[in-house]
Amino acid sequence: MITRLLVLVVAAAGLGACANEPAAPVAPDAKAVLAAATPALATGAYRYRVAVPEVEVSGVTHVPHRRAMWTTTFPRSDTDGVEMRLLGDDQYSRTGAARWQHIDQSRIPKAAERMGLTFAHADRTDVKPLLDAVTEAKQEGQVIRGTIEGTRVRIAGATLSTIESRLIKPVSFVASVDGRGRLTHLEVELPPTPAPKSEPAAQWTLDVSDYDTAADVARPAGVKEMPDSFYVTMES
């Protein structure tokens, strides 16, 4: 009897100890981690570069100060690159070495909104439509791997419009986040393009760095002002 009693006491003590132990942490859902990795691109300050074989876009953004500048180049073409700068409602642009042109967005708010050239569309990385189409994801440390359903990607932005013909089936991706859970890298494997182009497999890549760093965006000199007729036409 005494032996049985001791066994029961020891067992009860063991159960009590287990009950007091902290529960093992639940691993975060990888899709949720990805969803939480991108809001800073629409609200913060950072430097970025996004590239596919046909187009590269690189720039800096500082949403709180409403400052941004970016350059779009076309590596496989003789087409001149396009530079853009936004300082509040002031938009400056030029192609190649041409003279800068100034547009006052406050005079054409609806047109500026339609073109996506306002800070209501501050994230110019084109990453959100890709991550919105993630169907599978698995996290290992700060790296997330998974699958994007290509047919679900909403085509918007220069880099996505050039790969639309490749997004005809699921594609794999690998993403990285920093210590605060913000996206720092995304790499999407693209299949070959169908005939008649028949181009080889490629990658869509995004690198984000220098979070919370002030963007030095200056007003260019020698600017050409757009005529009143331009604003009338754009708002009509």
Side-chain angles (χ1 to χ4, degrees):
M1 178 66 69
I2 295 175
T3 301
R4 291 178 60 189
L5 181 60
L6 288 173
V7 170
L8 291 173
V9 170
V10 171
L15 290 174
C18 291
N20 293 328
E21 290 180 0
V26 178
D29 177 73
K31 288 185 182 180
V33 173
L34 285 173
T38 59
L41 300 177
T43 61
Y46 53 91
R47 184 178 302 275
Y48 66 94
R49 176 183 177 273
V50 57
V52 289
E54 296 85 356
V55 184
E56 293 185 10
V57 182
S58 59
V60 295
T61 298
H62 198 303
V63 181
H65 292 172
R66 301 184 73 218
R67 298 286 188 271
M69 65 178 179
W70 67 96
T71 301
T72 304
T73 57
F74 309 92
R76 294 186 175 182
S77 169
D78 293 332
T79 305
D80 289 333
V82 179
E83 295 180 73
M84 298 284 293
R85 297 185 188 182
L86 294 182
L87 293 91
D89 291 328
D90 293 313
Q91 172 188 323
Y92 302 90
S93 63
R94 71 174 178 178
T95 300
R99 187 179 178 184
W100 287 95
Q101 294 182 327
H102 171 242
I103 296 175
D104 181 357
Q105 292 185 352
S106 67
R107 297 180 61 180
I108 50 170
K110 293 181 180 179
E113 184 70 18
R114 285 196 306 269
M115 293 185 290
L117 295 176
T118 70
F119 281 94
H121 304 276
D123 178 7
R124 306 187 189 284
T125 65
D126 297 343
V127 70
K128 193 174 186 302
L130 289 168
L131 296 185
D132 284 347
V134 169
T135 56
E136 299 177 6
K138 182 179 180 180
Q139 184 173 8
E140 298 178 0
Q142 292 177 273
V143 177
I144 302 171
R145 302 176 188 276
T147 304
I148 293 170
E149 175 49 66
T151 59
R152 296 183 188 177
V153 176
R154 180 179 57 85
I155 302 301
T159 65
L160 292 184
S161 62
T162 63
I163 64 171
E164 184 173 7
S165 63
R166 297 178 185 263
L167 297 174
I168 56 177
K169 62 180 182 179
V171 293
S172 62
F173 75 88
V174 58
S176 300
V177 296
D178 65 10
R180 293 173 57 182
R182 299 173 299 189
L183 187 69
T184 56
H185 179 73
L186 178 65
E187 189 174 294
V188 180
E189 297 296 331
L190 302 173
T193 58
K197 284 190 174 182
S198 301
E199 295 178 342
Q203 293 176 326
W204 184 100
T205 60
L206 166 67
D207 290 290
V208 186
S209 61
D210 297 340
Y211 277 108
D212 303 324
T213 301
D216 184 15
V217 182
R219 299 180 189 274
V223 171
K224 174 184 177 182
E225 296 291 337
M226 298 302 290
D228 290 340
S229 58
F230 167 82
Y231 294 99
V232 173
T233 301
M234 293 298 294
E235 279 297 279
S236 60

